[in-house]
Amino acid sequence: MNKFEKKIAITGGAGFIGSHVVRLFIKAYPNYQIFNLDALTYAGNLENIKDIEHAPNYSFTKININDKQRIDELFDEHNFDAVIHLAAESHVDRSIKEPLAFVKTNVIGTINLLEASKRIWENNYNDKRFYHISTDEVYGTLGESGLF
């Protein structure tokens, strides 16, 4: 029997925003097991979460969300109750140099996470959540009015 009420995967949890989200969940929800999934590219740094690396409800997995096989294996192993998806390529200057990397991570990586979630939840979405939080580089520019 798992001692934790819920298992939550947070992607991009070693980045600037992600590390704050991971830390908040570790401290606010000690009865939830928090899984930090991060590829540790230019935006991720484990120093950002050094203060919580030994928390009993925390674990880190170095994983690229573009690796569908590893994502599927991880989701099968842990059967997450929720996903908070923060991982993204979001630096405009890098998108000009490497546009395919942006498409792979922001589109294909997101689809890999959605498909893995859908598969393990088997059309039973009661008490399951998938939050995708990103930037205007992912969602596009908002006009003078409207909401995302």
Side-chain angles (χ1 to χ4, degrees), residues 1 7 20 24 27-28 31-32 37 39 44-46 53 59 65 67 74 76 79 82 113 115-116 123 127 146:
M1 182 74 179
K7 294 180 178 183
H20 291 282
L24 175 96
K27 293 178 179 179
N31 54 333
Y32 290 7
L37 313 179
N45 186 341
L46 290 177
E53 69 183 349
S59 68
I65 62 172
D67 188 339
L74 194 66
D76 287 340
N79 195 24
L113 294 168
E115 289 294 321
N123 292 321
D127 207 29

Side-chain angles (χ1 to χ4, degrees), residues 2-83:
N2 190 344
K3 67 179 183 176
F4 297 106
E5 289 177 27
K6 293 191 182 285
K7 294 180 178 183
I8 300 176
I10 301 176
T11 67
F16 176 72
I17 294 170
S19 62
H20 291 282
V21 173
V22 167
R23 185 175 297 100
L24 175 96
F25 271 75
I26 291 296
K27 293 178 179 179
Y29 302 101
N31 54 333
Y32 290 7
Q33 188 174 13
I34 307 303
F35 294 82
N36 180 358
L37 313 179
D38 200 297
L40 298 179
T41 61
Y42 63 90
N45 186 341
L46 290 177
E47 289 297 315
N48 291 337
I49 47 176
K50 191 128 181 87
D51 60 314
I52 51 110
E53 69 183 349
H54 297 296
N57 62 332
Y58 172 77
S59 68
F60 172 78
T61 301
K62 183 177 179 182
I63 188 168
N64 189 314
I65 62 172
N66 294 324
D67 188 339
K68 182 180 179 353
Q69 181 177 341
R70 285 209 54 225
I71 289 293
D72 285 344
E73 290 168 358
L74 194 66
F75 276 57
D76 287 340
E77 178 182 352
H78 296 293
N79 195 24
F80 301 116
D81 297 291
V83 176

